[in-house]
Structure formats: structure tokens, C-alpha cells
Amino acid sequence: MDKNNLQQITFGGGCFWCVESCFNMLKGVESAISGYSGGHKDNPTYEEVCTGETGHAEVVQITYDSSLISYEQLMDVFFFLHDPTQLNRQGNDIGTQYRSVIYYKDEAEKAKAEESIKTSQESNRWSGTYVTEISPFEKFWAAEQYHQGYYNENPTQPYCSAIVGPKIQKFKKHFGELGMLELN
């Protein structure tokens, strides 16, 4: 990867274990780190975020090489991995910490996020109105170490085998067969 082309994007699409696992497989993604953004408490813990009282979302911060993978491709994967029409939830994961959100760093990124939502809505992949928030990026706190690469370390854990594993297989099938993105 060319360090001169590295950029970051931070977004939330439900449980970060699912999102992080898939993005870490993409060619052009240097890292996908589970964490928290959008809240009012510094250095939140998983337990605090799970209460819904800190205002944080479970997010993934992605560092990527823009010469290998585009913002638009990352957004296509993002909207594939979660249902952006569900307010404050993804499946059985319920609460504001599971909201659909894109954090932008400047007005150009905000415009790209708005365009990505519009493009995804026009694709009719999901029926219903998108509720994805577009919010200014303020701070990212990496989640506790045991959350990083959680699925790879715990594939037989009940949530992983029932939810994360099938989502990863669906992701591999869709993006691998289309050849849109090469998987590492």
C-alpha cells in the first residue's frame, strides 16, 4: 500500500464485529478497527456504550489506500452489510449504539456521504426510507482489545456462528463473485 494514499473513514452499521470482519478482508483496506464515536463521554467502555446512555455508536474506523479501493466502493460494502432503514437497531441488536451513521471530516466528505446514500437508495437494495445519520467526526476511541478481530478469535461463539459467520459468507459470495473488489 502507498502510505501517501491512505485515508480514513468512520461509520457504524450495527454490531462492529460484523462490519470489522468484512472490511478487514478487502484489498486496499490497511485496517478496520472496532470502536466508539459520536458520544459525550471520553474513553467509553463497552459496558457503558451498551447502556445507550453515552450517546456513542459502535463504529469501525477504516484506513484504506484510495488508489486501491474508492470511497464509493467502501460505501457500497457498508450499505450491503447492514439495513440502513432500521432506526437504532440491526436485527436483534437494539439501541442507539447500533445506529446507522457515517462520520465525515469535511464538507467534501459530507457531500460524498450524501451522494452514497442517494445512490444506495436508488439501487432499491433496501425497501423503506434510509435513516443513516451523517454527522461530523469528532473523536474515535478504539474498543477494548478483545473486540478487535473478535470473529476470527471466536468463530464458534453463539452470536458469531449465528450472525457474524453467515453475514461474512454472504459478503464473500456477493463481492467475490462480482469481482468488484478483490479479497485479501
Side-chain angles (χ1 to χ4, degrees):
M1 285 193 203
D2 183 347
K3 301 291 183 195
N4 294 323
N5 293 323
L6 291 183
Q7 296 187 34
Q8 282 188 329
I9 184 168
T10 304
F11 47 66
C15 173
F16 49 35
W17 296 343
C18 299
V19 177
E20 176 213 281
S21 296
C22 292
F23 277 96
N24 270 323
M25 289 187 254
L26 295 174
K27 181 177 176 146
V29 171
E30 181 179 82
S31 67
I33 300 177
S34 293
Y36 317 107
S37 284
H40 54 78
K41 182 180 187 317
D42 288 346
N43 300 305
T45 66
Y46 180 69
E47 290 74 20
E48 290 169 332
V49 171
C50 284
T51 68
E53 295 175 12
T54 67
H56 293 88
E58 285 193 14
V59 298
V60 176
Q61 186 167 76
I62 297 170
T63 302
Y64 66 100
D65 182 335
S66 60
S67 70
L68 298 174
I69 189 168
S70 70
Y71 179 94
E72 291 76 18
Q73 288 172 311
L74 292 170
M75 285 291 101
D76 190 37
V77 172
F78 171 69
F79 287 117
F80 177 83
L81 291 176
H82 80 291
D83 182 346
T85 68
Q86 292 187 341
L87 183 62
N88 298 328
R89 72 178 298 159
Q90 285 301 302
N92 291 328
D93 294 328
I94 300 170
T96 57
Q97 68 270 28
Y98 299 114
R99 67 187 177 270
S100 177
V101 59
I102 302 168
Y103 292 101
Y104 65 89
K105 293 187 177 136
D106 56 34
E107 289 302 310
E109 228 177 59
K110 180 181 180 184
K112 286 164 75 172
E114 290 168 344
E115 184 61 31
S116 293
I117 289 173
K118 181 180 174 197
T119 299
S120 184
Q121 282 181 309
E122 289 172 353
S123 76
N124 294 317
R125 179 179 291 153
W126 301 101
S127 62
T129 303
Y130 279 39
V131 294
T132 302
E133 293 176 23
I134 300 174
S135 298
F137 176 84
E138 292 178 11
K139 184 80 175 160
F140 170 81
W141 287 274
E144 295 81 351
Q145 188 56 41
Y146 72 91
H147 288 295
Q148 309 306 326
Y150 190 85
Y151 176 78
N152 292 340
E153 297 296 321
N154 304 280
T156 60
Q157 188 263 10
Y159 184 89
C160 289
S161 60
I163 305 296
V164 184
K167 187 173 278 198
I168 289 172
Q169 293 309 310
K170 181 179 169 187
F171 163 80
K172 285 181 176 180
K173 182 178 180 186
H174 182 77
F175 288 101
E177 288 179 1
L178 287 178
M180 182 184 132
L181 303 172
E182 293 178 28
L183 300 175
N184 287 336

